[in-house]
Amino acid sequence: VVYLENGPRGAFTDLPAGRARLDQKHEQFVPHVLAITAGTTVDFPNNDLTFHSVFSLSPVKQFDLGRYPVGQSKSVRFDKAGIVPVFCDIHSHMSAYILVFTHPFFARTDDDGRYTIPNVPPGTYSIAVWSEAGQADPQIITMTDGGSVEISFRVGRQRD
């Protein structure tokens, strides 16, 4: 996920209450990484032939949906920004991440690592990347009215 570290002034006031989905298929969460804005409700439908028990112990949002079978769905509203690791109490190999932002200026990369963050207002910003695979140093960008900026990151494990 590539994102502005601090959203522009006014970006926080008009966040619509959204809805997203973190599916359970073939004993995996799909997508593995979900990026949302604060106030979004996430549905956790079970589309497997087995029970699941979705939970998180994150200080950003703790929840435990309990066990539920195929065809059922439960929901959680995320109001606080941060990273929420999600697990299944029944299947220890199942994990996912929900990244919650207080502004809409973020994007998930595609399979080739490309991304676009639309509608960024003119200004100077620090742009960062989050990846389960490692870290990258944030970069400073200056966005002009109607302009575009191209930024590349090299993500990897940090060494001491």
Side-chain angles (χ1 to χ4, degrees):
V1 177
V2 181
Y3 60 95
L4 300 186
E5 287 191 304
N6 295 305
R9 175 171 274 160
F12 311 100
T13 57
D14 296 329
L15 286 179
R19 194 144 202 123
R21 180 182 178 115
L22 191 62
D23 211 337
Q24 299 159 78
K25 294 180 184 176
H26 310 292
E27 294 186 6
Q28 296 180 34
F29 289 108
V30 180
H32 181 66
V33 175
L34 179 65
I36 61 173
T37 55
T40 297
T41 297
V42 176
D43 298 320
F44 295 89
N46 182 354
N47 287 305
D48 264 335
L49 297 178
T50 182
F51 278 75
H52 287 293
S53 181
V54 180
F55 75 97
S56 179
L57 299 175
S58 170
V60 173
K61 183 67 176 185
Q62 288 189 15
F63 62 92
D64 185 344
L65 301 181
R67 294 178 182 223
Y68 56 103
V70 63
Q72 287 191 9
S73 183
K74 296 193 177 184
S75 303
V76 176
R77 181 180 161 104
F78 294 83
D79 291 318
K80 185 177 174 185
I83 300 171
V84 181
V86 178
F87 304 97
C88 176
D89 194 36
I90 300 170
H91 305 99
S92 61
H93 60 277
M94 287 180 65
S95 67
Y97 295 92
I98 300 174
L99 280 69
V100 185
F101 295 94
T102 57
H103 60 76
F105 303 106
F106 57 86
R108 273 190 56 204
T109 61
D110 65 16
D111 291 340
D112 295 322
R114 293 181 303 235
Y115 65 93
T116 300
I117 302 175
N119 304 319
V120 176
T124 299
Y125 306 100
S126 177
I127 188 166
V129 64
W130 179 90
S131 172
E132 187 178 15
Q135 299 176 346
D137 292 328
Q139 297 183 37
I140 302 298
I141 63 163
T142 299
M143 181 64 81
T144 59
D145 193 18
S148 66
V149 176
E150 187 170 319
I151 301 238
S152 295
F153 291 94
R154 183 172 298 260
V155 176
R157 299 272 179 219
Q158 299 293 332
R159 296 182 190 180
D160 294 330

